[in-house]
Amino acid sequence: MKKLINDPFDVVDEMFEGFISANDHIIKPVGKRSIARLESPIAGKVGIVVGGGSGHLPAFAGYVGKGMADGAAFGNIFASPPSKPVVEATVAVNGGAGVMYTYGNYQGDCINFDKAQDQCREMGIPVQSVVLNDDVLSAPKDQASKRRGIGGLFLVWHVAGAKAEQMASLDEVVAATQKANNNTRTVGVGLSSCIVPANGQPTFSLADDEMEIGLGIHGEPGVKRVKARGIDSVIDEIMESILADLDYKGSDVALLVNGLGGSPAEELYVVYRRVKQICDANKINIRFKHVGEQVTALEMAGVSVSLMRLDTELHDLITNAVVDTCMYKKL
Amino acid sequence: MKKLINDPFDVVDEMFEGFISANDHIIKPVGKRSIARLESPIAGKVGIVVGGGSGHLPAFAGYVGKGMADGAAFGNIFASPPSKPVVEATVAVNGGAGVMYTYGNYQGDCINFDKAQDQCREMGIPVQSVVLNDDVLSAPKDQASKRRGIGGLFLVWHVAGAKAEQMASLDEVVAATQKANNNTRTVGVGLSSCIVPANGQPTFSLADDEMEIGLGIHGEPGVKRVKARGIDSVIDEIMESILADLDYKGSDVALLVNGLGGSPAEELYVVYRRVKQICDANKINIRFKHVGEQVTALEMAGVSVSLMRLDTELHDLITNAVVDTCMYKKL
Amino acid sequence: MANVNGAVVAKALVHVAKKVEENKDYLCELDGEVGDGDHGVSMTIGMRAVTRAMKSLDDSVTPAEVFQAAADAYADEVGATIGPLYEAAFAAAAASAGDKGQLNEIADWADIYDAMAKSIQVLGKAERGDKTMLDSFFPAVDHIQALADKGGPLVDALSSTAKAALDAAIATRDLVAKKGRASRLGDRAIGYQDAGATSLAIVLQGFADGIAGA
Amino acid sequence: MANVNGAVVAKALVHVAKKVEENKDYLCELDGEVGDGDHGVSMTIGMRAVTRAMKSLDDSVTPAEVFQAAADAYADEVGATIGPLYEAAFAAAAASAGDKGQLNEIADWADIYDAMAKSIQVLGKAERGDKTMLDSFFPAVDHIQALADKGGPLVDALSSTAKAALDAAIATRDLVAKKGRASRLGDRAIGYQDAGATSLAIVLQGFADGIAGA
Ligand SMILES: Nc1ncnc2c1ncn2[C@@H]1O[C@H](COP(=O)(O)OP(=O)(O)O)[C@@H](O)[C@H]1O
Ligand SMILES: Nc1ncnc2c1ncn2[C@@H]1O[C@H](COP(=O)(O)OP(=O)(O)O)[C@@H](O)[C@H]1O
Ligand SMILES: [Mg+2]
Ligand SMILES: [Mg+2]
Ligand SMILES: [Mg+2]
Ligand SMILES: [Mg+2]
């Protein structure tokens, strides 16, 4: 196993320690596995708490800072955090205007965040949750609430953070975040699995001439395995799934070409090239774009493409945003 | 071969096309393989031109924008660009105050940049070059001019860009860059090789229980192959080489923990944790730190650590810098 | 076999932890076929925390206190889906044990297993046939409840119950996953044995052997 | 064998390109042992550009024009170390060919190879024994210069010269690299055959066969 680690069972604690120290100009620890913006709680600002399993950096903790999240809870690798660090983060970021949880739709996260939400509400902190489900291929359209959250969360949280920075109310932040989620779709393709450190073996194996389409962000198998082929035709297939699920034609969009961890940036730009061609052909206007690793699955090779349809509010929130988080910045 | 590409011989052209389009709010193409900041030439500002083989993003083209480089030339994968795109970039960024080339010490780059420099000087553009050689293990100390340039270029260019933004003269920019380089040391460790797309095979092979110490950024073998072991002890060895080469004790430093491409961010933070412990033990004060993929070797797994010793000028340049380039931002 | 008092239950849990950790890679492999490959890791993390908790208890502890300590260990360290499910299950076991000083009867364990399985269902909302740990737990509960009526040695009952759980875990190969991450795979999940159902069988076997050995 | 006019040289270069591309993976493998594994790729990119350039020439072209077109192709497309070295070499070949209409004599090629090797040395500053392409090129030049004095059929001379280059390339296995990336490896480079020396032998063999076949 080729990893820059010590005992695989210590990875998350040691990573957490390094993360805290490397970002001590932006965040502070507020528990053994929870962090908050240095300046939190910010009086009158809705606090945004994110989280999920580790292994997805920059998601989720990398987005704590100005313009995105106020706090985050770290789980074990690919395992939702328990409720306790979520509660710790909630308490730390509550500036009196309430707290919004936002996370991907996975059973573990739903159970643990809901538990934290119950506890915090009992403590008198108003908490609302927006659960993200952008992964088109993880369930059919008529069961969209079963879909999981993947790369699109980067775009949705960009909106959420910007709205909260404007000192909007909890209901307004929740409404903007929900709208952003409703207008976001993602499809991914994987070329290799990844290795959960304490497991030590690749989660699944792909032959050298195979790709998985519709996989998630945990190195898990996708919804179909196809023969490897030129990436343009794979992107065509991905974009077709996205465009068939929501009407983007003629719209303004925000776009993310997201590396899953093991694919070089050079390749992500090859992908962006094709996505842009398809957008042009469909009169889709790219108003905001980002190419990079945002929501990863350890060292998995692959890419996902996310599109968010923008109305004026979403457009202005995302394009005017100034973001200065641990791992993502926008001037 | 697991890559998000079409014909491997088209990778660089397609990557270039995607890069241009994805960053069209920051840069413009000024040739088939050359780019410049949108606003260039900037009257009175020294233009900084960087470049080298492709396969190292964010280095080198990813640093074009405010606060770092003004122009860049793209080579083929791991191959220096020819002189022509360097000349194109030079002409595009020359705002009358002259142009500085800065690149890593590789034979191909030296030959091609020197050729471009000759041509541009003949055209009447004042050009100076600062060649970077931070890689401690690539040659003994008494032959430091033979050392190659690797991850430390991120720190050096951070300084160079900041100095040029202050509208310093060409000589001043060159002097600050040279000083930054003289105070920067890097050592890397690789866990796996990478695949040059048109080659299709890993450049070298490492058994599952082997690591290469002292490797460069081209997936080439390092200076010694060691048994894989816990990363803390590997980082101890790396840091020992760095600290033995330059006296950092009690100094202020800027620090980069650089992912080579295939190692997850989580692991880079595990590395940072150890580097920080060693700095603390040696009374080295980290004034600027960055953890992330900056100077990569395609999908190679591994990490390099760079330290730059800071005097007041270097300290202020790097900590006060505002950077808004294609792939690196600092607020 | 000693009296199954709190100290014996605690020792049994340490034995369970050992068995789970021995099966870490196997459980990850099962989870990797259709899920995210971490189940063996999550269970090991949880069971290591349980072991630590057990070692800090003194011998006068009640079975309920032991189970509650296990619940707390899972609550703090595990997360994931399995963390809150086992937390709930151990908490339910504690409630079921109540203020009993010993759990010497088959009926005690039938009640405990039943309470555990039910609490998992309340929290996770899975049904029989959804290809989850309940597909080995419910058959095990049926089995031990039948034995409780018949009577016999406790250790044999616990052991055959664990065997029933394992058979049922193996039978999950034929099911389509309806809950959890694997549910996204639809028919592709057929043929793969559910990781959580398998680890539950290992846990039950660990109880049986741990109590027998105490 | 036809008169070795410009058109024949151009055809020979297209044949060289074919041979180089056939050996792409092998050359990368050699480069990967101690270098960055791209030599076969760089040479293929260069030779593809040469082929395109050859196809746009008309039949009345002079040998010098052909070599200059090859130099320009390398200059524009290749970069790396090898790009400027081959650019310089082909430009030197053009200069050596001068205004000759045919290159029918062994001496013509002895001069051309000599000019090419020397131009590489001027630009790259490597010495014999530094483990570079010069370690196959210089022995080849020695060989063909000796044949030029002796005389004989051109095609045989070109072919045995290429063979001399290949033998010398194989002999680079014993050398420590002093120039280029591999120089950082010191003794670790011993045992590995230099990629550039090998591709140079392939290029010379391509010339011999290409001219023989024209
Ligand atoms: N709703 C549920 N009820 C009961 N058991 C469940 C439920 N969802 C999942 N499981 C069990 O959890 C196991 C997976 O656990 P684990 O891999 O640790 O968590 P995660 O799915 O969060 O990675 C599955 O094999 C299944 O047996
Ligand atoms: N200074 C030099 N003079 C002559 N040949 C050289 C010199 N440096 C390197 N070479 C040749 O170039 C080859 C490597 O070429 P290539 O891999 O294409 O370039 P790079 O080293 O830039 O990746 C070496 O095998 C060697 O034969
Ligand atoms: Mg999981
Ligand atoms: Mg190269
Ligand atoms: Mg799992
Ligand atoms: Mg090479």
Side-chain angles (χ1 to χ4, degrees), chain B:
Chain B
M1 188 183 40
K2 299 289 197 165
K3 300 219 175 243
L4 305 164
I5 61 171
N6 298 297
D7 183 328
F9 280 93
D10 294 336
V11 172
V12 178
D13 288 333
E14 293 182 354
M15 177 268 287
F16 183 81
E17 188 185 330
F19 185 89
I20 297 293
S21 171
N23 294 293
D24 59 6
H25 50 303
I26 299 181
I27 50 125
K28 58 189 174 191
V30 296
K32 212 171 72 91
R33 291 277 183 92
S34 50
I35 59 169
R37 269 173 83 170
L38 265 190
E39 51 276 61
S40 45
I42 302 173
K45 180 184 171 298
V46 170
I48 298 179
V49 171
V50 300
S54 291
H56 306 297
L57 286 176
F60 309 98
Y63 299 137
V64 179
K66 182 180 158 69
M68 284 180 100
D70 297 272
F74 290 71
N76 292 315
I77 300 288
F78 293 167
S80 163
S83 55
K84 190 173 161 193
V86 180
V87 172
E88 290 163 346
T90 312
V91 171
V93 307
N94 175 33
V99 174
M100 180 176 76
Y101 294 170
T102 177
Y103 53 89
N105 185 30
Y106 295 93
Q107 198 179 204
D109 293 295
C110 293
I111 294 176
N112 289 292
F113 274 86
D114 278 350
K115 220 163 132 183
Q117 179 172 278
D118 289 347
Q119 268 178 264
C120 290
R121 284 180 180 167
E122 262 171 45
M123 294 161 69
I125 305 175
V127 178
Q128 301 282 347
S129 297
V130 180
V131 184
L132 308 184
N133 61 337
D134 53 307
D135 183 4
V136 173
L137 293 185
S138 57
K141 196 169 175 164
D142 58 353
Q143 298 172 39
S145 69
K146 282 195 178 173
R147 289 178 178 172
R148 64 193 163 193
I150 53 172
L153 67 82
F154 168 79
L155 299 173
V156 176
W157 294 356
H158 217 299
V159 165
K163 190 76 185 180
E165 291 291 336
Q166 294 181 349
M167 302 306 263
S169 70
L170 181 54
D171 284 348
E172 289 166 341
V173 175
V174 166
T177 309
Q178 193 64 61
K179 180 167 70 176
N181 178 59
N182 293 347
N183 284 283
T184 302
R185 298 293 184 275
T186 303
V187 175
V189 57
L191 308 190
S192 71
S193 184
C194 57
I195 297 179
V196 174
N199 174 351
Q201 295 299 320
T203 299
F204 67 94
S205 55
L206 271 175
D208 211 39
D209 64 341
E210 290 176 336
M211 296 179 167
E212 283 271 345
I213 292 190
L215 82 185
I217 51 171
H218 301 88
E220 69 273 59
V223 298
K224 65 176 163 179
R225 191 164 290 195
V226 300
K227 284 280 155 210
R229 57 189 204 264
I231 193 64
D232 278 3
S233 108
V234 176
I235 297 301
D236 292 351
E237 186 173 341
I238 282 180
M239 289 294 287
E240 211 171 282
S241 301
I242 292 175
L243 301 186
D245 203 71
L246 187 71
D247 185 12
Y248 286 96
K249 294 218 170 154
S251 300
D252 288 351
V253 300
L255 189 154
L256 170 68
V257 170
N258 174 54
L260 292 177
S263 291
E266 283 75 9
E267 296 176 22
L268 304 184
Y269 284 113
V270 172
V271 169
Y272 180 82
R273 166 185 167 278
R274 188 63 174 181
V275 171
K276 174 74 163 71
Q277 289 173 349
I278 297 168
C279 285
D280 287 349
N282 287 280
K283 305 216 181 324
I284 297 170
N285 314 306
I286 302 172
R287 299 301 182 189
F288 169 89
K289 68 252 184 188
H290 184 84
V291 176
E293 291 179 359
Q294 291 298 341
V295 186
T296 62
L298 293 172
E299 67 279 353
M300 185 169 205
V303 68
S304 66
V305 179
S306 302
L307 260 74
M308 179 191 288
R309 198 171 55 184
L310 302 173
D311 63 7
T312 312
E313 184 195 17
L314 296 178
H315 174 273
D316 292 352
L317 283 170
I318 206 162
T319 57
N320 297 333
V322 173
V323 185
D324 192 11
T325 68
C326 297
M327 294 181 72
Y328 172 71
K329 327 249 176 196
K330 175 174 174 290
L331 282 88

Side-chain angles (χ1 to χ4, degrees), chain A residues 77-80 106-109 111 218, chain C residues 27 30-31 34-43 78-83 85-86 120-121 123-127 130-136 178-182 193-200:
Chain A
I77 301 287
F78 293 167
S80 164
Y106 295 94
Q107 199 180 201
D109 294 294
I111 293 175
H218 301 87
Chain C
L27 294 171
L30 291 181
D31 191 31
V34 287
D36 58 354
D38 66 348
H39 183 63
V41 175
S42 290
M43 287 299 292
V78 183
T81 305
I82 216 69
L85 294 180
Y86 268 91
I120 290 169
Q121 187 169 40
L123 186 58
K125 301 189 184 66
E127 300 294 331
D130 278 356
K131 195 158 185 159
T132 72
M133 59 194 289
L134 289 178
D135 289 311
S136 60
K178 294 224 184 91
K179 287 275 164 198
R181 293 198 166 119
Q193 183 173 329
D194 183 64
T198 308
S199 63
L200 187 275

Side-chain angles (χ1 to χ4, degrees), chain B residues 77-80 218, chain D residues 31 36-39 42 80-81 181:
Chain B
I77 300 288
F78 293 167
S80 163
H218 301 88
Chain D
D31 191 31
D36 59 353
D38 65 349
H39 183 62
S42 289
T81 307
R181 293 198 166 120

Side-chain angles (χ1 to χ4, degrees), chain D residues 3-210:
Chain D
N3 244 357
V4 185
N5 59 19
V8 169
V9 176
K11 259 189 222 143
L13 271 167
V14 172
H15 183 74
V16 166
K18 194 169 151 264
K19 289 292 146 188
V20 165
E21 183 151 355
E22 281 170 17
N23 284 282
K24 169 177 79 70
D25 293 347
Y26 171 56
L27 294 171
C28 285
E29 200 184 311
L30 291 180
D31 191 31
E33 303 281 9
V34 287
D36 59 353
D38 65 349
H39 183 62
V41 175
S42 289
M43 287 299 291
T44 299
I45 290 172
M47 284 297 169
R48 284 186 181 187
V50 168
T51 300
R52 280 195 304 276
M54 295 303 108
K55 296 205 162 146
S56 72
L57 298 173
D58 59 44
D59 275 357
S60 61
V61 71
T62 67
E65 287 166 341
V66 170
F67 284 124
Q68 192 54 51
D72 295 344
Y74 258 86
D76 282 356
E77 303 272 348
V78 182
T81 307
I82 215 70
L85 294 180
Y86 267 91
E87 177 198 356
F90 283 128
S96 171
D99 50 16
K100 289 178 192 162
Q102 295 91 29
L103 304 173
N104 292 341
E105 306 305 321
I106 299 178
D108 295 333
W109 288 91
D111 290 350
I112 285 171
Y113 285 0
D114 182 50
M116 290 175 85
K118 283 192 175 130
S119 72
I120 289 170
Q121 188 169 38
V122 167
L123 185 58
K125 301 188 184 67
E127 300 294 332
R128 264 182 209 241
D130 278 356
K131 196 160 186 156
T132 73
M133 59 192 289
L134 290 177
D135 288 312
S136 60
F137 216 164
F138 278 140
V141 171
D142 294 344
H143 182 92
I144 196 169
Q145 282 176 335
L147 292 178
D149 295 340
K150 272 201 281 177
L154 173 62
V155 171
D156 294 355
L158 291 176
S159 198
S160 71
T161 300
K163 182 76 179 47
L166 186 61
D167 290 344
I170 290 166
T172 60
R173 286 185 195 158
D174 302 330
L175 301 171
V176 175
K178 295 224 184 91
K179 287 276 164 198
R181 293 198 166 120
S183 64
R184 277 122 188 155
L185 288 171
D187 288 351
R188 240 179 115 171
I190 292 177
Y192 297 117
Q193 184 172 327
D194 183 63
T198 307
S199 63
L200 187 274
I202 292 166
V203 167
L204 297 193
Q205 190 64 53
F207 270 126
D209 296 344

Side-chain angles (χ1 to χ4, degrees), chain C residues 21-77:
Chain C
E21 184 151 353
E22 281 170 17
N23 283 283
K24 169 176 80 67
D25 295 346
Y26 170 56
L27 294 171
C28 284
E29 200 185 311
L30 291 181
D31 191 31
E33 304 282 9
V34 287
D36 58 354
D38 66 348
H39 183 63
V41 175
S42 290
M43 287 299 292
T44 298
I45 290 171
M47 284 296 168
R48 284 186 180 187
V50 167
T51 300
R52 280 194 303 277
M54 294 304 108
K55 297 204 163 146
S56 72
L57 298 174
D58 59 43
D59 275 357
S60 63
V61 71
T62 67
E65 286 166 342
V66 169
F67 284 125
Q68 191 54 50
D72 294 344
Y74 258 86
D76 282 356
E77 304 271 348

